[in-house]
Amino acid sequence: MTTALYTHDLFVEHLTPPGHPERPERLRAITKALSSEEFNALDRREAPLADTSTFLYAHPADHIAMLEAASPEDGIKRIDAETSMSPKTWECVTRAVGAANAAVDAVFNGDADNCFVAARPPGHHAEKTTAMGFCLVNNVAVAARYAQNAHGAERVAIIDWDVHHGNGTQDIFWDDESVLYASTHQMPLFPGTGAKTEEGVGNIFNAPLTANSGGDYFRQAMKERIFPAIDEFNPDMILISAGFDAHYRDPLAQINLVEDDFDWATGRIMELSQRYCDGRLVSLLEGGYDLIGLSQSTAAHVKRLMNG
Ligand SMILES: [Zn+2]
C-alpha cells in the first residue's frame, strides 16, 4: 500500500489576521505529527503549481481574475469578514489545487494507492462566484472535475466530514448528476446551508447533526445516509473533504468526535473505494482549528490510509 502525502513549505505563508483560527500553525502541527517514525513509509511529494485553467472547472474566468487581482503586494487584503489574502496566498491556492490534481493523477496512474493533501487555504466553502469561509478556490471541486476531464471518470463522489457544510461544493455540483456530494456537519452552524431537503438533482446527500451529538450519531449518519448513497452511485473515484473540526477539542463547533471516529470513517470509505473504484481515494485537508485535535486526528486518518 503506497500512500502519498502532498504538501509544501509554502503553505504556512498564507497569512491571516491575528487571532484568526485558520492560521499557519495548523499546517506546522500536521507536518510535525506526520514526521514521526510511524509515517516513514509515506511517499512525500511536493505540491506542484496547478495549471490554472483547471480553476475554471469550478469557477467562471472573471471571478478567478478578480480574486487574482485582489492579491496584495503587502499586508492582508480582506475578501469578506473572515476570508483574506496575503502576498503568498495566490501561490498557495495554486499549489493547493495543483496538489489535489496531482493526487488525482497519482491514483489514476497507479503511482499511489491513495493520497492525503495537506494544504492551505481550504476550499469547500468557495462557491462558483463567492469566496467565503476562509476559502478562495474550491480545491475538491476542481479535483473532481479534473478526474473527469483528465482521466475519464464518469461519476465522482465527494464525502465531506468537515463540521461545517460545504456550501461551495454543493453550489458547484447542484445540477450535476455526475458528481455526488455527501456531507455530515453541525447544523445550525456556519454557513447555514446543508438541510436534508437540499438534494440538487438527487446527487446531494446532507446529513446534519445537532450540537453536542458525538461519534454514535456521526457513524449512524454515515452508515444510514451516506454509505448507501455511495453504494447506489457506484463512483469511479472518491474524494474526501477532510476537515477535523468535528473533534471534541475544536473551538468552532460542538460535535465531539474523537480520533477513533475519523479512523473508522477512513476505513469504511477505503472499503467503499476498493469495492467500486480500485481503491482510488484522495483526501484533502479542510478545517480543524484546535492544534492537538487537528494533528492527532490527521495522524489517525493518514495512518488508516497507509495501513488499510
Ligand atoms: Zn470547517
Side-chain angles (χ1 to χ4, degrees), residues 196-306:
K196 262 189 169 173
T197 50
E198 297 163 21
E199 297 178 318
V201 287
N203 62 323
I204 308 285
F205 294 84
N206 286 315
L209 304 169
T210 52
N212 303 312
S213 58
D216 290 347
Y217 291 91
F218 170 75
R219 294 182 190 211
Q220 188 183 12
M222 285 284 180
K223 284 192 280 198
E224 292 181 0
R225 183 147 175 84
I226 292 181
F227 298 156
I230 302 288
D231 286 328
E232 179 86 3
F233 187 64
N234 185 16
D236 298 311
M237 171 176 204
I238 300 177
L239 291 154
I240 303 175
S241 265
F244 297 100
D245 39 11
H247 190 274
Y248 76 93
R249 291 182 57 100
D250 199 275
L252 299 193
Q254 298 79 34
I255 287 295
N256 301 327
L257 299 193
V258 295
E259 290 83 347
D260 193 48
D261 294 311
F262 295 113
D263 170 68
W264 173 85
T266 307
R268 292 301 309 274
I269 294 168
M270 289 174 77
E271 286 169 19
L272 291 169
S273 74
Q274 280 146 9
R275 190 175 312 148
Y276 296 114
C277 44
D278 295 329
R280 286 188 290 270
L281 178 62
V282 168
S283 173
L284 311 179
L285 178 67
E286 298 280 2
Y289 303 101
D290 175 81
L291 299 183
I292 293 170
L294 170 65
S295 56
Q296 292 181 352
S297 301
T298 302
H301 173 55
V302 174
K303 201 186 301 179
R304 177 59 59 197
L305 288 175
M306 292 170 71

Side-chain angles (χ1 to χ4, degrees), residues 124-125 134 162-165 189-190 243-246 252 286-289:
H124 75 149
H125 293 305
F134 321 158
D162 188 281
V163 82
H164 303 96
H165 181 240
L189 190 69
F190 179 91
F244 297 100
D245 39 11
L252 299 193
E286 298 280 2
Y289 303 101

Side-chain angles (χ1 to χ4, degrees), residues 1-280:
M1 195 98 196
T2 301
T3 296
L5 168 69
Y6 286 86
T7 191
H8 201 287
D9 290 344
L10 183 82
F11 289 137
V12 299
E13 294 187 45
H14 164 50
L15 305 179
T16 49
H20 196 286
E22 206 293 281
R23 59 209 192 277
E25 288 74 15
R26 298 179 59 237
L27 212 68
R28 291 196 185 98
I30 288 174
T31 302
K32 188 171 173 215
L34 297 183
S35 64
S36 78
E37 228 171 68
E38 59 187 330
F39 296 103
N40 282 352
L42 263 183
D43 188 338
R44 293 161 200 273
R45 303 178 186 179
E46 200 164 79
L49 289 166
D51 171 349
T52 53
S53 70
T54 62
F55 293 4
L56 308 184
Y57 293 161
H59 307 279
D62 57 347
H63 176 67
I64 292 298
M66 183 273 291
L67 285 176
E68 188 173 7
S71 189
E73 285 192 12
D74 50 51
I76 288 176
K77 163 88 174 175
R78 284 189 188 271
I79 305 297
D80 74 3
E82 64 228 347
T83 312
S84 57
M85 297 175 80
S86 66
K88 295 280 191 198
T89 296
W90 196 248
E91 189 184 342
C92 290
V93 166
T94 306
R95 288 196 186 276
V97 175
N101 292 345
V104 169
D105 285 336
V107 297
F108 272 97
N109 296 338
D111 66 325
D113 291 298
N114 55 46
C115 302
F116 180 67
V117 176
R120 299 175 56 248
H124 75 149
H125 293 305
E127 298 185 343
K128 282 177 199 156
T129 58
T130 308
M132 59 181 279
F134 321 158
C135 301
L136 295 153
V137 171
N138 195 313
N139 315 340
V140 76
V142 172
R145 288 219 167 111
Y146 180 77
Q148 297 181 316
N149 288 315
H151 296 284
E154 290 179 11
R155 292 173 307 283
V156 178
I158 300 170
I159 300 175
D160 183 338
W161 70 49
D162 188 281
V163 82
H164 303 96
H165 181 240
N167 60 296
T169 313
Q170 173 171 296
D171 172 61
I172 290 161
F173 297 114
W174 183 254
D175 56 2
D176 182 349
E177 62 189 14
S178 73
V179 176
L180 178 148
Y181 176 70
S183 175
T184 56
H185 45 274
Q186 182 172 323
M187 198 174 180
L189 190 69
F190 179 91
T193 51
K196 262 189 169 173
T197 50
E198 297 163 21
E199 297 178 318
V201 287
N203 62 323
I204 308 285
F205 294 84
N206 286 315
L209 304 169
T210 52
N212 303 312
S213 58
D216 290 347
Y217 291 91
F218 170 75
R219 294 182 190 211
Q220 188 183 12
M222 285 284 180
K223 284 192 280 198
E224 292 181 0
R225 183 147 175 84
I226 292 181
F227 298 156
I230 302 288
D231 286 328
E232 179 86 3
F233 187 64
N234 185 16
D236 298 311
M237 171 176 204
I238 300 177
L239 291 154
I240 303 175
S241 265
F244 297 100
D245 39 11
H247 190 274
Y248 76 93
R249 291 182 57 100
D250 199 275
L252 299 193
Q254 298 79 34
I255 287 295
N256 301 327
L257 299 193
V258 295
E259 290 83 347
D260 193 48
D261 294 311
F262 295 113
D263 170 68
W264 173 85
T266 307
R268 292 301 309 274
I269 294 168
M270 289 174 77
E271 286 169 19
L272 291 169
S273 74
Q274 280 146 9
R275 190 175 312 148
Y276 296 114
C277 44
D278 295 329
R280 286 188 290 270

